[in-house]
Amino acid sequence: MTLSPSSIEQVIPGQGAMAQPSARARRRRFRFVANAKAATGLAILAVYALLAVIGPWIAPYDPDARSVDVLQAPSARHWFGTTHLGQDIFSQILVGARSVVVVGLIAGVLATILSVLIGVTAGYLGGAADESLSALSNVFLVIPALPLIIIVASLVDQAGELLVALIIGLTSWAWGARVLRAQTLSLRRRDYVEAARATGERTWRIIGFEILPNLTAIIASGFVGTVIFAVMSEITLAFIGISSVSSWNWGTILFWAQGQQALAQGAWWWFVPAGLAIALLGTALALINFGIDEFVSPRLRTGGRTRIRTADGRTVRMRVGFTPVLAPKAAPVPMQRSADVRDTTREDQTA
């Protein structure tokens, strides 16, 4: 016996909605990208990533090339001006973007992988494994990354970008591991994890499919924080002259500007573009971090709205700095009859 599609729809109402995800589900998937802060941060970060790839190719001049245009202000020929040797600052900014982005991404990825492996494993397994991995995290937690890089750079002839990124990544995972361990300890006793364990699921499958999806926001936030720290550390090392000054990055530009007294000479164009590039990159990463926080927390998600609509259709005006708490509607209080009404009723009954 065959059934027509119309009869199937009558037996199973809404089967079309079951076959395809609803519009609300699709909107939920792209809620993070729809956030204004996250979208702005991702757009700026995409521009930086593009410049890191094609920057050396589109640079109008060789960043090391000298010319007779010494300490020239920004012009049509040199958009960001020139240095005391006639070097084009705009070309130095474009070429230096690759070093900054590469160091930040390598250090962020390495630190994130280590924090996830150690923190989630310690929180889920517990016992001796938890104590050993927690002790290891405590040891790396007190190791200062910047002084260690300075010591290693003084021992190595040419401290390249890869070495700096590896040291930052290997010394920046401990804090994220402790946060992930605390969250895993809370998740391991949830009902869905206990159900998966009771059905005989393997440990790696429980961690990968039941626990890690609930830690995505924390992992992403830790990655963004590590990238910010790595970028600032790499620029700081170049600015104080620890890393190689022959390879261009934004810290190297500031190093030469400070060494040649650019501020005293009034050559503001020598250090302002590099400073703005650093500030804009930090702003983009901070906006992404704010977007992650608002994506995870519904309270922060509605914090920027001045008016919100409740479930019963009421519109509530928000006050800046206050968390909205909607009180339930008060039940109507029955009216008590006055003594005069009672007396009048008693007289009517007596009559």
Side-chain angles (χ1 to χ4, degrees), residues 39 133 216:
L133 295 176
T216 304

Side-chain angles (χ1 to χ4, degrees), residues 227-270:
V227 170
I228 295 175
F229 174 74
V231 168
M232 295 305 170
S233 299
E234 200 255 350
I235 293 174
T236 301
L237 291 172
F239 176 70
I240 62 180
I242 298 300
S243 60
S244 177
V245 295
S246 59
S247 60
W248 288 104
N249 63 58
W250 300 334
T252 307
I253 299 173
L254 297 178
F255 168 79
W256 288 110
Q258 189 270 341
Q260 299 299 322
Q261 300 294 323
L263 182 60
Q265 298 185 49
W268 55 267
W269 58 86
W270 198 342

Side-chain angles (χ1 to χ4, degrees), residues 180-195:
L180 292 174
R181 173 185 173 272
Q183 293 295 323
T184 306
L185 288 174
S186 174
L187 293 174
R188 60 178 297 195
R189 296 303 180 187
R190 300 291 177 90
D191 293 339
Y192 56 89
V193 177
E194 294 289 352

Side-chain angles (χ1 to χ4, degrees), residues 84-108:
H84 67 296
L85 298 177
Q87 298 167 331
D88 184 64
I89 298 177
F90 180 66
S91 301
Q92 295 176 356
I93 294 289
L94 292 178
V95 174
R98 175 176 295 181
S99 173
V100 174
V101 174
V102 167
V103 170
L105 289 180
I106 293 178

Side-chain angles (χ1 to χ4, degrees), residues 140-141 143-146 148-149 166-174 229:
F140 277 87
L141 194 62
I143 296 179
L146 197 59
L148 181 61
I149 298 174
L166 290 178
I167 296 177
I168 295 176
L170 291 174
T171 56
S172 305
W173 58 267
F229 174 74

Side-chain angles (χ1 to χ4, degrees), residues 2 19 40 85 199 218 275 331 338-339:
T2 59
T40 304
L85 298 177
T199 55
I218 300 176
S338 60

Side-chain angles (χ1 to χ4, degrees), residues 314 327-333:
R314 292 183 298 161
K329 289 185 177 180
V333 180

